[in-house]
Amino acid sequence: MQRYSGFGLAKHALSHHENWQRQWRNPTPKKRYDVIVIGGGGHGLATAYYLAKNHGITNVAVLEKGWLGGGNTARNTTIVRSNYLWDESARLYDHSLDLWKGLSQDLNYNVMFSQRGVMNLGHTLQDMRDIQRRVHANRLNGVDSEVILADQIKEIVPIIDTSKSARYPILGASWQKTAGVARHDAVAWGYARAADALGVDILQNTEVTGFKIRDGQVYGVHTNRGDIESKTIGCVTAGNSGVVAKMAGLKLPLESHPLQALVSEPLKPVLDTVVMSNHVHGYISQSDKGDLVIGAGINGYLGYGQRGSYTTVEHTLQAIVEMFPIFSRVRMNRQWGGIVDTCADACPILSKTKVKGLFFNCGWGTGGFKATPGSGHVFAASLAKGEMHPIAAPFSIDRFNTGALVDEHGAAGVAH
Amino acid sequence: MFYIHCPYCDEYRDEEEFAPKGQAHIARPEDPETCSDEEWGAYLFFRDNPRGIHHELWVHAIGCRKFFNITRNSASYAILETYRMGEQPRFSAEHPEGEPAEHGAAVNVVDEAGRVAGQEGVKA
Amino acid sequence: MSQSNQPNRLRQGGRIERARTLDFTFNGKRYQGHAGDTLASALLANGVDVVNRSFKYSRPRGIVAAGAEEPNALVQLGSTEAAQVPNVRATQQALFEGLTAQSTNGWPNVQRDVMSLVGKLGGRFMPPGFYYKTFMAPASMWMTYEKVIRKGAGLGRSPMENDPDSYDHLNQHCDLLVVGAGPAGLAAALTAARAGARVILCDEQEEMGGSLLASRELLDDQPAAQWAERVIDELAENDKVTLLPRTTANGYHDHHFVTLHERRTEHLGETAPRVDGYRSSRSRMHRVRAGQVLLATGAHERPLVYGNNDVPGNLVAGAVSTYIRRYGVVPGNKLVLSVSNDHAYRAALDWDEAGREVVAIVDARRQPDGELVEQARARGIRIIEGSAVLEAKGDKRVDGARVAAIDTAAFRVTGQAEVLECDTIASSGGYSPVIHLASHTGARPTWDDTLLGFVPSLVKGVHAAGSARGVHDLAEGLADGASKASEALAALGKSASAIEPPRADVIREGQACALYQVPHEKPTLRAPKQFVDMQNDVTAAAVELATREGFESIEHVKRYTALGFGTDQGKLGNINGMAIAARCLGRSIPEVGTTVFRPNYTPVTFGAIVGRHCRDLFDPERYTALHQWHVEQGAEFEDVGQWKRPWYFPRKVNGKLETMAEAVARESLAVRTGVGILDASTLGKIDIQGPDAREFLGRVYTNKWAKLAPGRVRYGLMCKDDGMLMDDGTTSCLGENHFLMTTTTGGAAGVMEWLELWHQTEWPELQVYFTSVTDHWATMTVTGPEARKLLSEITDIDLDKEQFKFMDWRNGKVADVPARVFRISFTGELAYEINVQANYALHVWKTLFEHGKKYDLTPYGTETMHVLRAEKGLIIAGQDTDGSVTPEDLGMFWAVGYDKPFQWIGKRALTRPDTARKDRKQFVGLRPVDPTVVLEEGAHIVVDKDQPIPMDMLGHVTSSYYSPNLKSGFALAVIKGGRDRMGETLHVPMPDGQAHEVEVVSPVFIDPKGERQHV
Amino acid sequence: MSDITYGQVATFNTHPEAAIPSESPLSVAFNQISVSTPAPAVNHASGVRLEEKAFLGHLILRGGAIVLDEAVRKVLGISLPGQPLGLALDESGERSVQWLSPDEWLLIVPGGEEFEVEQRLRDALGDAHYAIVDASGGQTLVSLEGEKARELLMKSTNYDVHPSNFPVGKAVSVVFAKSSLILRRPAEDRYELVLRRSFADYLYRWILDAGAEYGIGVQR
């Protein structure tokens, strides 16, 4: 792998950038792999990378039906935080946050992880109870988190309206200083480049059309580029997981919904942290390019169309302008949608299935991007060992039968 | 922003008046006590989640407050039909072009008897 | 009418009002223009070349286009802080008196920009994706690097003061929405209007008419604009037609829901002017539901991609014609036109007619032969065939064009270059239909090899006409508009015969050739910068580099280079970029991908999307019938859902307002020792009638209802089928077949829908009706030891404790008003809930206070209510429960009907392995060992306070207060295996490292036998 | 005693015999608790005129159409609107019945009549399965007139209020601003809005704001 560095960049500049290498190969599929990862988004590529790096399993294929990183990895609002309520999810997301901290160096690819802090606002007394509950739990779990009140919020974000006359005045917030944002595309590309360098075959435009299953054991897939065999297959297909599961005769406890986001025109820096409000429902940060990146709500109907309802955008901007009245004259540039696979408890599925050798990593709902390194890391370990990693174990499909849900939205209210 | 034909109000109304309530035709098991944990889990949580034709339960929340079903393509968002509780769809994954009317009852004819029937004697 | 100060203004022509001169300021300098100008045309008239600096390299930039596709001329508008608008496209901003604008980038100013040095020197160190490849070491420095990078971010700036303007919405419905009032759109609208259809016609420009306003062609032997005026007049007369100029269709949503953004006042001033004391909304969003939609959105001309094609003085050819013919402005003196098609020859003809010099037309085709080519030849204009402009010369303004023969197929320069002296280079590489709206619907456009452009794919009900689908000829476009409109109406079952279009000359045009990037003698990576996307400084070299690095999908190329991510969404650059990527990859354009557009077509003010749903009207405030009294008494309010509920009633004591703690202590003591009163009207109330009402209750509640007699009340728990508590409340038996259910305040709407869901989908055979009566009844809770005495003074109901027991209800009069009185208690004290028709509530309430004076009747709010109920161990659903709590977890076995015949909702789930666990979190009380301690709600409970982090948490404090009655803090909590831990001492660690010691106790702190409520 | 038990159902006359002051849901606004200025008066330039018809009797009828139709005709002399979204008025225009859903109708009668009407309906309905619920305290009726009334509605609801879709004799429950209400067209030149009590103040403030452009006046 060609190492990236400031010095290298200068050297390439002198040769008019004519000597840059491909960041990943465009290989032809082999007949057989030790592990197949279906889905070339952030989670799938991270899974492949950690399989190769941590477990020495390099005979791995990542099958991507379109272009890598083209699903929710390319469509999210890039927030990274780990202040989840329940022990199980806090462990998972905090593990991820730890990996984020050294990710650029690990991958030799600047994913621009910017720890500018994330605050979740509370507007009612019950909001504040929930926030306190979450922050207390975070602290005892070793997750960075604190409660701040309106004055402190105003100090960190001077342009926010904390006046008492607001319809839902801001009472306080939970504040995770070490949380932040990252450059979404770079995460996929960085993992792809690093995995490729370790020998992983990234097969784009390769769509799985069916599974080869014999006696309850998976042994390969059919694709538009021919059959590929492997006795260990991890499906990391986010919004399309239900469709993939059906090919294996499985039903999953999730539904795929549209989730929208939008950006303003680029502005000179005016907002340095991430501000989220579940009560008035909107969240916002400003990218390094200057766009205000704004997350909208999820629609309640099934949707694979990568677009949602316009009213959701209206409600989101109403919330944003309520919190930041100065943005009323700023203009919205673009909106888009992703397909989020959501479980009833707003927690993911990292699980074996009834089909031996076939594993699923899905159901991340609105929280997938931040989990990318952690999800890939524990899922790789699970595929390598054939047993779920301890951090992944609570997120089995079986919990929907036993009742052992990890109910994040029931308790914390903040799922993004 | 869907435009939905309410089979009870018998006109198209904006999506803002409606609320989606998940997959249609999920009947509660007749005898819950004899269900295994898996069967009960399936009833509570496991859904078809198809990309394509989907039958879903909606309620005309601001309007007549009636629940009804929609056959909709979850990829194109095209609505193929709406039908009342107790009626069967004409369009399905097996019959994307629709079955002949006599096979399904989802015809939006509003008559006195139909309205009463819509309220009585039906099962999800 | 002096024009001496506008050097590029022609003496005549154009549609501007020459009699109206307008002053404006750009970058601190004053200029003049005319009514009818855009800021761009006025700047060009005044000879202003550099209007901005580029985003990444800080290169000087001028105006390139004349409409929405303009990538460079972004300005910051506004003379005051509150009126600032960032990133306004000068080509779309009408000039008004006093307009004040600044370049978006450039420091200290746009002429001498310090950053341009960085751009010049550092440009080559900033290939696409350079930031992914550096700033990684040391890891701790990234936040510092990022600060520096962020300094260079952004275009314009946000205002720092609140918006003085307002915005509104108008919901519209029509049979046919026509987007674009050019030739095809006008013909379509006229066809539909004459057929009697409801039509909306919108157009983004200041004036309707589109290309007809600057057309050289005649219609019915008159200037085309005159035909447009006649049509618009006819449409304006028709009351089924809504004409919306200055209105951009910015988003196409499902099922023909289109948002039209009407700029109502932006042409009048920087803030909306006041008329008759009323300030109009600055802009208005029309939320249109159309039966059918016809897109007559025209086409955008593609510039050619050549070296230094961004130097001011480089324009697209059509823009040159527009400025000359529509605005009477000729943006230079000596023109070189570089083209791949006939259509663009018009620019040279217009330039020539304006009396300026056409140095040459450089045509990439070997033997151009259309009518316009012949006209140019006939005028003696030099035509250089088989050639193109390789490179512009000049720094802040074009001063020459290097021209050479090229081989477009082989992508190389074949001849010796010649430098033509000129100050303007106009180029045209063909025309891209404006397919944005069609592609918002999710339909992927398809490439047409003859048209050399993407044409829209159309979902059912959407039609395209004219240039928007590649029909560029005027006569054909008019006919196309008319016939597509009649097709659209036919789809609605309405007949409309297409209008007879006006007579137009057919101009024979030769076939265009495919040319996107012009080859250069040097390879692309070494050639002078050839810009593809000017706003984001994306060059042909960047696209090539991206493909070399393995970014092969056009989506990857776009993301890696930022191509098309500007505020223009790549209207000029996307297809050129795709063509370059295709060339580098040796593929065809459609093989590289398609082009996808998302709303908005052009950026839309947040305010316009928000509408009036802000500030006082952001969200409904729900009031009870007693709201006025609460306000007058100085209550503090708590937001509970949308309700405003009194939180506490601070009194002035010794001239000082009580704190909440003081008020709550006083209110709590009053209820325990005297009498207090609560406005409980927000509780949900549902009237249930029917022979199967009782059976229905038995199915949705966990407990039994078979034997509740009329006159009696019972508390019930409602679960979902996963066994988790959903809501609670009391239900009264009003008659054998008649019940009144109450719900929590927040749960009211949800419970109502829940009942209907089960009735309509599962048990339609049950004869029962549910009707919400929440708003009909006002509910006042009179509670405390003196409650009976007080109430007895103003009621005819026999309050004798044997006649009217706890959990009974009675009818009667209270303060002469018919009332239903329920003897239920949420405080543990003697309590009466008085329900009266809401219109009479204030009278009853005030009468209670008249009589209550001697008992010191004390109004209390939600905070005191919470304290009092917590002392009794009564839960609040949603506070003490969170969707993961069963009735058994709460220890409410008495409210679970295990042997009811029907398998009620929630029962089955209770026996699942996890739900049946013995060590689930259970509801208990906590008593801090130190009575002065009030635990923090949400704090967690551990066994070993010295355990290192992560600690094993047993559960958390759900409710915690100071009790003036217990003279101690106390709390409710859920704790793993809590019921088996009674008497144990546990710990509550706090952020300061200390831990509070607590004893696990029963959740009932006061009157465990319930004697007080039974008195 | 003001209540009578009809078979198995308890009815309740909410009105006092004595003259008791009463407050409509709009009193909060009219008394300038939620707004700082008095309601704008009607004048010749008012493009919209708003008037509250407070304290009317509102009854919700549930049941089968055929059964209810007979009773309503007998008691009020109005045919029950059988078609969805129908609104029927008696000759005086003071009493109306509107379709709410296939088994639900809204009866509006002069204030104070509702209890008697309910009793007579119950007498007429006998043993049928039906429900009648008094909702008079929970809602109020507001009329909008004037040449700009329709445009004001267009600002507020996405329902198509064009006369071709919303003729006289139609009534619909619709989204209105961020709340909902019942919208009725009892006459060519008048719209009626039925507001829920707790939302009424918000809706009234919305309407005044939307109407400012048209010089809205409030008839008091």
Side-chain angles (χ1 to χ4, degrees), chain A residues 4-6 9-10 13-18 20-24 26 67-68 74-75 86-87 104-105 108-110 112-116 123-126 129 132-133 136-137 139-142 159 167-169 183-186 189 204 264-272 280 286-290 292 294 306-308 310-311 313-314 317-322 325-336 400-404 407 410-411, chain C residues 82-88 104-105 124-125 127 131-136 139 142-143 146 150 153-156 158-163 165 167 169 253-254 257 259 270 282 285 287 441 525-526 536 545 548-553 555-556 559-560 565-567 569 598-600 603-607 609-610 613 615 618-621 638-639 641-642 644 647 878-879 882-883 912-914 921 936-940 949-951 953 956 989-991:
Chain A
Y4 290 159
S5 67
L9 186 70
L14 297 177
S15 56
H16 299 270
H17 303 291
E18 284 164 347
W20 288 108
Q21 292 173 5
R22 294 181 64 97
Q23 298 196 3
W24 48 81
N26 195 358
W67 38 286
L68 64 89
R75 291 162 201 282
W86 298 100
D87 301 350
S104 294
Q105 290 70 31
N108 181 230
Y109 209 94
N110 191 350
M112 304 171 80
F113 176 47
S114 170
Q115 293 177 281
R116 58 181 69 172
H123 300 257
T124 66
L125 300 178
Q126 187 57 40
R129 279 183 211 111
Q132 287 192 159
R133 178 182 175 195
H136 274 286
R139 212 168 34 77
L140 300 186
N141 269 323
I159 58 171
R167 174 65 186 87
Y168 295 107
R183 170 83 187 128
H184 53 1
D185 290 329
W189 300 339
Q204 299 185 75
S264 75
E265 296 183 302
L267 301 173
K268 297 275 185 282
V270 64
L271 178 64
D272 288 331
V280 298
Q286 188 175 20
S287 77
D288 283 348
K289 189 163 171 276
L292 298 174
I294 294 169
Q306 296 189 328
R307 56 184 198 282
Y310 175 68
T311 37
V313 170
E314 289 182 311
L317 282 177
Q318 286 157 13
I320 296 300
V321 169
E322 188 67 4
I326 64 166
F327 289 156
S328 168
R329 287 172 95 82
V330 169
R331 302 191 298 183
M332 166 181 155
N333 193 20
R334 213 156 37 88
Q335 68 171 95
W336 65 91
F400 294 94
N401 295 328
T402 64
D407 199 354
Chain C
Q84 293 296 308
V85 186
N87 308 331
V88 173
T104 291
N105 287 322
R124 60 160 42 175
F125 300 102
Y131 30 79
Y132 305 134
K133 296 173 176 168
T134 182
F135 304 123
M136 282 177 285
W142 166 244
M143 293 305 289
E146 191 188 28
R150 275 174 86 80
L155 298 171
S158 164
M160 296 305 284
E161 289 176 12
N162 290 359
D163 194 342
D165 283 320
Y167 306 81
H169 296 163
H253 304 270
D254 283 291
F257 184 85
T259 48
E270 59 185 30
R282 176 166 169 245
M285 191 68 86
R287 304 165 86 249
T441 63
L525 291 178
R526 292 172 183 251
N536 281 337
L545 186 56
R548 281 179 181 229
E549 289 194 81
F551 294 90
E552 297 182 353
S553 151
E555 289 295 337
H556 276 160
R559 286 165 179 274
Y560 195 58
F565 277 85
T567 64
Q569 288 200 49
R598 311 260 175 220
N600 296 316
V604 177
T605 312
F606 280 10
I609 297 165
V610 171
H613 301 280
R615 303 186 198 176
F618 172 65
D619 204 40
E621 290 187 7
E638 178 188 356
D639 287 308
Q642 292 172 320
K644 287 283 180 191
W647 188 14
Q879 175 172 341
D882 64 4
R912 293 176 303 168
D914 190 74
K921 288 182 184 167
E936 237 178 64
E937 285 172 347
H940 287 256
I949 279 172
M951 296 174 95
M953 289 171 258
H956 74 283
M990 297 305 290

Side-chain angles (χ1 to χ4, degrees), chain A residues 240 251 256 302 304 307 309, chain B residues 15 49 51 72 74 77:
Chain A
N240 290 303
K251 220 187 220 190
S256 296
L302 279 200
Y304 289 90
R307 56 184 198 282
S309 298
Chain B
E15 181 188 321
N49 199 27
R51 172 197 281 274
R72 190 175 62 89
S74 66
Y77 297 177

